[in-house]
Amino acid sequence: MEEIKESLAFKGVAERLTLGITRILENMPGVVDVRFAEREPAEKRSLLSWEQKNTCILPEDLRDFYLTTDGFTLTWSMKLDNECVPLGCMMVNSVARLCPLLQPVSLFSLPNAPSLADLDWEENSTESAGSEHAPTAPHFDSRSRIFELDSCGGNGKVCLVYKNCTPGVVAQQSEIWFLDRSLCWHFLTATFTSFYRLMITHLGLPEWQYAFTPYGPSPQAKYTPVLADLWLNAQSFKTLTQSMRVFYCCLFMYFYSFALNAKSSRDCKLHCWNIK
């Protein structure tokens, strides 16, 4: 009896953590193997230790998140030709894996060895030419403290960034940025809560972070074969409920917006909510 109560309690916590997306995915035809990794809350002392070690104050929303669950992993697949194709992956690193993007320079490295900090010279020369309203990109040197939230399956990195840092001074203001594979920065959100909702909204689709870059995701992600299975069967689509249509419309518009060379998928996805 106690095991049943614990199972129901965890299911309720999981549904709140995922904003109900697990239940929606499980009820969608074609979606299989929805997995949410259960994790214990992080200890307060581990959060304090992280802050002292990195001379940074965790944002309040991220601290509350870690006190609820030490990291986050939700994956799901689609059934295609009797095979399960992994598609969605939503992840937030645990406190132990919230590591600095730039590791300290080794004592045995050469004095003039190249580093990521060398990339900032070009940015400094062109910084004044950028838009006045665009957020200032992070730096790879001591002016910024950068920590990896998600490795994005090797397609880039979502980072917790503290800018305008001074050595020895505790940093408090943070933002969420995406570092693509060409080492260019792209602003995502000002808070962790906004990023978390953004991740859930995009269902963890492949390379969804590239929706906020000028060039979008790779051709492989744009023209995933799963779309053919979803949309060529028009008769099956007509039998779907309203919520299911919204789900598939969001999935389709996410990729179709890039095929139209849209700047981002935000505008296209807004139209799917008006489908009757």
Side-chain angles (χ1 to χ4, degrees):
M1 191 66 179
E2 292 181 358
E3 293 181 357
I4 296 177
K5 290 183 179 180
E6 290 180 359
S7 177
L8 292 175
F10 168 72
K11 189 173 182 179
V13 172
E15 186 165 339
R16 289 195 296 272
L17 274 175
T18 60
L19 306 181
I21 197 66
T22 52
R23 178 168 45 83
I24 295 174
L25 286 170
E26 290 171 348
N27 292 329
M28 293 299 170
V31 176
V32 296
D33 199 21
V34 180
R35 296 187 180 184
F36 174 71
E38 179 181 1
R39 300 188 184 185
E40 295 291 331
E43 297 182 357
K44 289 186 178 181
R45 62 181 180 181
S46 65
L47 299 180
L48 292 174
S49 176
W50 186 95
E51 292 178 335
Q52 293 174 357
K53 178 182 178 181
N54 297 288
T55 323
C56 295
I57 300 296
L58 285 170
E60 194 67 26
D61 52 359
L62 182 56
R63 173 186 288 272
D64 293 340
F65 177 82
Y66 279 134
L67 290 176
T68 304
T69 175
D70 190 8
F72 179 89
T73 303
L74 173 62
T75 59
W76 57 278
S77 305
M78 300 254 351
K79 192 172 184 180
L80 183 64
D81 293 334
N82 296 323
E83 293 185 5
C84 293
V85 180
L87 189 60
C89 180
M90 303 169 233
M91 181 177 293
V92 176
N93 283 341
S94 63
V95 176
R97 297 185 61 188
L98 190 62
C99 301
L101 181 66
L102 306 176
Q103 298 298 330
V105 179
S106 173
L107 295 175
F108 301 99
S109 61
L110 296 175
N112 296 325
S115 65
L116 289 177
D118 297 330
L119 298 175
D120 283 330
W121 74 270
E122 182 178 356
E123 182 181 351
N124 291 338
S125 62
T126 59
E127 191 171 348
S128 58
S131 173
E132 295 181 359
H133 301 287
T136 304
H139 296 279
F140 289 109
D141 56 20
S142 60
R143 289 173 289 179
S144 299
R145 296 171 191 166
I146 307 168
F147 306 93
E148 182 181 325
L149 278 172
D150 180 13
S151 61
C152 305
N155 294 312
K157 294 182 184 294
V158 173
C159 298
L160 176 70
V161 176
Y162 297 82
K163 297 188 299 185
N164 302 321
C165 297
T166 303
V169 178
V170 177
Q172 300 187 22
Q173 299 297 325
S174 62
E175 297 173 337
I176 308 297
W177 287 73
F178 174 61
L179 180 66
D180 65 22
R181 295 188 65 180
S182 63
L183 300 179
C184 291
W185 288 105
H186 308 277
F187 178 76
L188 290 181
T189 62
T191 65
F192 172 77
T193 300
S194 298
F195 162 75
Y196 185 77
R197 292 174 178 172
L198 202 64
M199 178 180 66
I200 296 294
T201 301
H202 284 82
L203 305 173
L205 289 167
E207 301 181 21
W208 70 264
Q209 299 87 356
Y210 282 86
F212 303 94
T213 68
Y215 29 84
S218 65
Q220 292 86 350
K222 287 181 184 178
Y223 307 110
T224 174
V226 176
L227 291 179
D229 189 63
L230 294 178
W231 282 87
L232 291 181
N233 193 347
Q235 188 64 33
S236 296
F237 182 75
K238 293 179 181 178
T239 63
L240 297 178
T241 63
Q242 176 67 15
S243 60
M244 292 179 180
R245 291 188 184 188
V246 168
F247 169 78
Y248 287 130
C249 286
C250 285
L251 189 62
F252 175 76
M253 296 303 286
Y254 171 77
F255 291 99
Y256 187 64
S257 62
F258 302 120
L260 296 177
N261 294 322
K263 293 183 178 179
S264 74
S265 62
R266 285 175 176 170
D267 296 336
C268 291
K269 289 199 308 180
L270 289 176
H271 297 292
C272 74
W273 301 107
N274 298 322
I275 295 178
K276 301 299 182 182

